[in-house]
Amino acid sequence: DPEGKTIPDDESFEGMDNKTRNEILSLLWAVLTHKDALTLKTYMNIERFTFAEIGRQQDEVAETMREKFLVQCKEVLGNRSEELADETHALHMCHLTKSVLERYDRTDMETYAQGSGGFAEMLYEELVAYLKRRSKTPSAP
Protein backbone atom coordinates (compact mmCIF):
# COMPACT_ATOMS: atom_id res chain seq x y z
CA ASP A 1 0.00 0.00 0.00
CA PRO A 2 1.30 3.51 -0.85
CA GLU A 3 1.52 4.68 2.75
CA GLY A 4 3.14 1.52 4.08
CA LYS A 5 0.05 0.63 6.10
CA THR A 6 -1.89 -2.60 5.96
CA ILE A 7 -5.63 -2.90 5.66
CA PRO A 8 -7.15 -4.51 8.77
CA ASP A 9 -9.15 -7.67 8.04
CA ASP A 10 -12.39 -6.06 9.16
CA GLU A 11 -11.99 -3.37 6.45
CA SER A 12 -11.70 -5.98 3.70
CA PHE A 13 -14.62 -7.57 1.89
CA GLU A 14 -13.02 -10.97 1.61
CA GLY A 15 -16.17 -12.67 2.96
CA MET A 16 -18.40 -11.31 0.17
CA ASP A 17 -19.39 -13.36 -2.83
CA ASN A 18 -17.18 -12.99 -5.91
CA LYS A 19 -19.75 -11.19 -8.05
CA THR A 20 -20.24 -8.48 -5.41
CA ARG A 21 -16.47 -8.07 -4.95
CA ASN A 22 -16.02 -7.79 -8.74
CA GLU A 23 -18.67 -5.09 -8.95
CA ILE A 24 -17.28 -3.10 -6.02
CA LEU A 25 -13.71 -3.28 -7.32
CA SER A 26 -14.89 -2.28 -10.80
CA LEU A 27 -16.66 0.74 -9.33
CA LEU A 28 -13.61 1.72 -7.28
CA TRP A 29 -11.43 1.33 -10.38
CA ALA A 30 -13.79 3.58 -12.36
CA VAL A 31 -13.38 6.22 -9.67
CA LEU A 32 -9.58 5.84 -9.61
CA THR A 33 -9.25 6.13 -13.39
CA HIS A 34 -11.54 9.12 -13.80
CA LYS A 35 -9.64 12.14 -15.11
CA ASP A 36 -10.58 14.20 -12.04
CA ALA A 37 -9.96 11.43 -9.48
CA LEU A 38 -6.93 13.11 -7.96
CA THR A 39 -9.12 15.97 -6.73
CA LEU A 40 -11.06 13.66 -4.37
CA LYS A 41 -10.24 14.06 -0.69
CA THR A 42 -10.61 10.31 -0.22
CA TYR A 43 -8.52 9.34 -3.26
CA MET A 44 -5.63 7.85 -1.25
CA ASN A 45 -8.01 5.76 0.87
CA ILE A 46 -9.78 4.42 -2.24
CA GLU A 47 -6.45 3.67 -3.90
CA ARG A 48 -5.01 1.99 -0.80
CA PHE A 49 -8.08 -0.19 -0.30
CA THR A 50 -8.37 -1.17 -3.98
CA PHE A 51 -4.72 -2.16 -4.29
CA ALA A 52 -4.81 -4.07 -1.01
CA GLU A 53 -7.75 -6.06 -2.39
CA ILE A 54 -6.15 -6.84 -5.77
CA GLY A 55 -2.83 -7.68 -4.12
CA ARG A 56 -4.13 -10.98 -2.75
CA GLN A 57 -2.02 -13.45 -4.75
CA GLN A 58 -4.08 -16.63 -4.24
CA ASP A 59 -7.46 -15.00 -4.80
CA GLU A 60 -9.51 -15.60 -7.96
CA VAL A 61 -11.24 -12.21 -7.80
CA ALA A 62 -7.99 -10.33 -7.24
CA GLU A 63 -6.34 -12.10 -10.17
CA THR A 64 -9.29 -11.40 -12.46
CA MET A 65 -9.40 -7.74 -11.47
CA ARG A 66 -5.63 -7.25 -11.89
CA GLU A 67 -5.91 -8.58 -15.44
CA LYS A 68 -9.00 -6.46 -16.17
CA PHE A 69 -7.35 -3.31 -14.80
CA LEU A 70 -4.18 -3.86 -16.84
CA VAL A 71 -6.22 -4.33 -20.01
CA GLN A 72 -7.99 -1.04 -19.29
CA CYS A 73 -4.68 0.74 -18.63
CA LYS A 74 -3.32 -0.62 -21.88
CA GLU A 75 -6.40 0.58 -23.78
CA VAL A 76 -6.27 4.09 -22.31
CA LEU A 77 -2.54 4.52 -22.85
CA GLY A 78 -2.59 2.89 -26.29
CA ASN A 79 -5.48 4.97 -27.68
CA ARG A 80 -4.07 8.40 -27.10
CA SER A 81 -3.47 10.93 -29.82
CA GLU A 82 -0.71 13.49 -29.51
CA GLU A 83 -3.04 16.41 -30.16
CA LEU A 84 -5.54 15.43 -27.45
CA ALA A 85 -3.05 14.44 -24.78
CA ASP A 86 -4.03 15.17 -21.20
CA GLU A 87 -0.61 14.84 -19.60
CA THR A 88 -1.89 14.76 -16.03
CA HIS A 89 -4.30 11.92 -16.78
CA ALA A 90 -1.69 10.03 -18.82
CA LEU A 91 0.80 10.20 -15.96
CA HIS A 92 -1.92 9.18 -13.53
CA MET A 93 -2.73 6.12 -15.66
CA CYS A 94 0.98 5.23 -15.82
CA HIS A 95 1.07 5.41 -12.01
CA LEU A 96 -1.99 3.15 -11.74
CA THR A 97 -0.44 0.72 -14.24
CA LYS A 98 2.72 0.56 -12.14
CA SER A 99 0.65 -0.01 -9.00
CA VAL A 100 -1.32 -2.85 -10.59
CA LEU A 101 1.86 -4.50 -11.87
CA GLU A 102 3.38 -4.29 -8.39
CA ARG A 103 0.53 -6.45 -7.09
CA TYR A 104 1.73 -9.42 -9.15
CA ASP A 105 4.47 -11.65 -7.84
CA ARG A 106 7.58 -11.39 -10.01
CA THR A 107 6.98 -14.59 -12.01
CA ASP A 108 3.38 -13.65 -12.85
CA MET A 109 4.42 -10.11 -13.79
CA GLU A 110 7.11 -11.39 -16.17
CA THR A 111 4.65 -13.86 -17.69
CA TYR A 112 2.09 -11.10 -18.21
CA ALA A 113 4.64 -8.69 -19.70
CA GLN A 114 5.87 -11.31 -22.16
CA GLY A 115 2.42 -12.48 -23.22
CA SER A 116 0.62 -9.14 -23.25
CA GLY A 117 1.06 -8.24 -26.87
CA GLY A 118 3.73 -5.60 -26.43
CA PHE A 119 2.58 -4.00 -23.18
CA ALA A 120 6.12 -3.13 -22.09
CA GLU A 121 6.88 -1.67 -25.50
CA MET A 122 3.66 0.36 -25.43
CA LEU A 123 4.61 1.85 -22.05
CA TYR A 124 8.04 2.72 -23.41
CA GLU A 125 6.48 4.32 -26.51
CA GLU A 126 4.14 6.36 -24.29
CA LEU A 127 7.12 7.61 -22.31
CA VAL A 128 8.93 8.62 -25.51
CA ALA A 129 5.78 10.33 -26.85
CA TYR A 130 5.37 12.18 -23.55
CA LEU A 131 8.96 13.42 -23.69
CA LYS A 132 8.42 14.61 -27.28
CA ARG A 133 5.21 16.43 -26.32
CA ARG A 134 6.92 17.93 -23.31
CA SER A 135 9.80 19.26 -25.41
CA LYS A 136 7.28 20.99 -27.73
CA THR A 137 5.38 22.66 -24.85
CA PRO A 138 7.24 25.32 -22.86
CA SER A 139 5.04 24.92 -19.72
CA ALA A 140 4.58 21.12 -19.68
CA PRO A 141 4.41 19.34 -16.30
Side-chain angles (χ1 to χ4, degrees), residues 21 54-63 66 105 108:
R21 287 181 66 209
I54 69 166
R56 300 172 191 273
Q57 295 301 321
Q58 303 300 320
D59 184 306
E60 178 185 332
V61 172
E63 183 177 327
R66 282 192 302 265
D105 65 29
D108 289 342

Side-chain angles (χ1 to χ4, degrees), residues 65-80:
M65 298 314 284
R66 282 192 302 265
E67 290 174 14
K68 177 182 175 181
F69 295 166
L70 282 177
V71 166
Q72 290 175 354
C73 288
K74 185 176 179 180
E75 288 172 359
V76 169
L77 293 173
N79 293 329
R80 296 173 30 80

Side-chain angles (χ1 to χ4, degrees), residues 1-124:
D1 111 55
E3 297 174 2
K5 299 176 184 172
T6 58
I7 306 294
D9 288 338
D10 60 340
E11 290 185 30
S12 166
F13 46 67
E14 190 173 301
M16 288 186 185
D17 66 272
N18 288 350
K19 183 177 181 187
T20 303
R21 287 181 66 209
N22 275 326
E23 293 301 319
I24 292 171
L25 285 169
S26 293
L27 178 61
L28 292 173
W29 183 253
V31 170
L32 289 174
T33 58
H34 189 275
K35 68 181 186 85
D36 295 324
L38 293 172
T39 63
L40 295 172
K41 289 182 182 180
T42 59
Y43 177 83
M44 290 302 292
N45 291 334
I46 295 169
E47 181 183 55
R48 186 170 48 97
F49 183 83
T50 302
F51 287 120
E53 286 298 318
I54 69 166
R56 300 172 191 273
Q57 295 301 321
Q58 303 300 320
D59 184 306
E60 178 185 332
V61 172
E63 183 177 327
T64 301
M65 298 314 284
R66 282 192 302 265
E67 290 174 14
K68 177 182 175 181
F69 295 166
L70 282 177
V71 166
Q72 290 175 354
C73 288
K74 185 176 179 180
E75 288 172 359
V76 169
L77 293 173
N79 293 329
R80 296 173 30 80
S81 89
E82 240 179 82
E83 304 82 44
L84 302 174
D86 177 348
E87 298 302 343
T88 303
H89 191 247
L91 291 173
H92 176 65
M93 290 303 296
C94 287
H95 166 76
L96 290 175
T97 302
K98 175 185 170 279
S99 295
V100 173
L101 286 170
E102 288 174 342
R103 296 321 182 261
Y104 282 97
D105 65 29
R106 185 169 181 86
T107 304
D108 289 342
M109 186 189 320
E110 289 172 357
T111 301
Y112 182 82
Q114 291 172 355
S116 65
F119 191 57
E121 291 83 5
M122 188 217 44
L123 288 173
Y124 175 76

